[in-house]
Amino acid sequence: MTTLGVHAMVWVGGWSPDEAAYAMRKTAEAGYGLIEIPVLEPETLDAGHTRRLLEDHGLAASCSLGLTADTDISSTDPAAVQRGEDRLGAALDFAAAVGAGFLTGVIFSALQKYPAPASAENRQSSVSAIRRLAEAAGPTGVSIGLEAVNRYETNIMNTADETMGFIEEVGMDNVYAHLDTYHMNIEETSMRDAVLRCGDRLGYVHVGESHRGYLGTGSVDFAGLFSALSEAGYQGPVVFESFSSAVVSPLLSNSLAVWRNLWEDSMDLAVSAREFVEKGLGAAQG
Ligand code: MN
């Protein structure tokens, strides 16, 4: 069955031991079964501590990150590609050590606005590096997710169709499409078309509102999403993602253009989102 999750940045802006403990406690209190842990600098994180917290709270985990210009595996600079593969390797090690089901996010390019379309070389570099990551992930049991994000955050994949094309080129069984309603609302023709295009290769879903605040208060077609997930028989995680200037990550907030305050009360936000998703999925499954 689908597990409902919440992104750690609803609670905290980093992953120090104190922040990890706080985020886990609040995730469990808000009624979620999974926490998505940002691993932007995985080399600095204490996997043993995170694993013990997950066990203490009975939570599942996933790990996510966006690469930077300095670690861009779609770059034509071999040194940047190597730094990116090192970073993804460290993120995979952390994900495996904490028992995460997925390593996902914008892991196929930098999370940034590009000044031009991706070239064939950019794309080939990314495909090859993701294939090597997937090969390394095989024995760990961690699945690899590729998150299609809007045109201002990557030039490699903005739609479900482009993501599926990329996955076919990678040619590995443990690589899945990751769709996010915030980005779909910008780039897709409809929630249904995008979900059905991925079919059983849809492995991970982010639910985020058009302004990235409270679910149900913006322009995202959630009824269309829930109906499509039901039609597709989707069983993977559904993870609530929301960002406000109330919680600042030095590593992520500026990349995501989190400029304004959408909420103050993380618990009220998180409980509201869980109830919204439960109600929506329940209605769709009728
Ligand atoms: Mn997302």
Side-chain angles (χ1 to χ4, degrees):
M1 279 308 292
T2 286
T3 303
L4 299 190
V6 62
H7 192 281
M9 265 192 72
V10 166
W11 314 112
V12 292
W15 204 249
S16 68
D18 284 351
E19 287 169 316
Y22 179 79
M24 296 270 193
R25 180 162 60 80
K26 291 295 181 178
T27 294
E29 281 177 18
Y32 288 91
L34 180 150
I35 184 165
E36 182 174 321
I37 304 168
V39 293
L40 295 148
E41 289 183 341
E43 308 83 358
T44 66
L45 304 179
D46 181 347
H49 180 255
T50 292
R51 185 177 186 110
R52 286 191 294 280
L53 285 170
L54 289 167
E55 288 166 359
D56 288 350
H57 291 286
L59 291 172
S62 51
C63 295
S64 63
L65 75 158
L67 295 174
T68 63
D70 192 52
T71 57
D72 184 353
I73 62 170
S74 75
S75 173
T76 53
D77 172 8
V81 174
Q82 186 59 55
R83 287 190 293 270
E85 294 206 54
D86 291 346
R87 169 135 302 163
L88 293 176
L92 176 62
D93 288 345
F94 181 85
V98 305
F102 269 89
L103 172 62
T104 188
V106 183
I107 61 174
F108 42 81
S109 76
L111 197 176
Q112 66 174 33
K113 183 177 185 302
Y114 281 84
S119 67
E121 276 176 292
N122 294 140
R123 186 183 171 81
Q124 191 51 53
S125 179
S126 179
V127 166
S128 299
I130 291 295
R131 186 181 299 128
R132 288 189 288 272
L133 176 68
E135 286 166 355
T140 70
V142 177
S143 295
I144 302 300
L146 305 176
E147 182 174 8
V149 296
N150 73 75
R151 63 192 70 188
Y152 306 109
E153 298 185 24
T154 185
N155 60 0
I156 295 285
M157 60 189 83
N158 305 133
T159 65
D161 188 57
E162 290 170 351
T163 305
M164 291 304 292
F166 188 99
I167 288 171
E168 282 157 27
E169 275 188 64
V170 171
M172 297 287 293
D173 291 343
N174 58 344
V175 179
Y176 291 89
H178 168 172
L179 296 180
D180 178 323
T181 56
Y182 165 77
H183 301 287
M184 296 164 84
N185 186 55
I186 297 170
E187 302 291 357
E188 303 285 358
T189 53
S190 76
M191 295 291 163
R192 182 172 184 273
D193 287 350
V195 168
L196 296 187
R197 173 68 182 91
C198 295
D200 60 10
R201 273 305 176 108
L202 180 59
Y204 204 85
V205 172
H206 273 165
V207 283
E209 192 44 281
S210 51
H211 45 51
R212 309 203 95 159
Y214 274 76
L215 297 187
T217 66
S219 61
V220 164
D221 174 20
F222 283 108
L225 175 83
F226 295 135
S227 163
L229 292 179
S230 175
E231 182 178 351
Y234 178 74
Q235 299 288 315
V238 174
V239 178
F240 172 53
E241 196 172 51
S242 183
F243 302 98
S244 169
S245 56
V247 174
V248 173
S249 159
L251 297 173
L252 193 56
S253 294
N254 291 346
S255 303
L256 297 176
V258 180
W259 309 143
R260 73 181 192 273
N261 188 312
L262 275 299
W263 42 261
E264 290 282 356
D265 185 337
S266 299
M267 182 57 78
D268 185 66
L269 172 86
V271 169
S272 158
R274 179 180 54 73
E275 291 173 351
F276 183 88
V277 174
E278 283 173 349
K279 190 174 170 193
L281 279 174
Q285 284 156 1

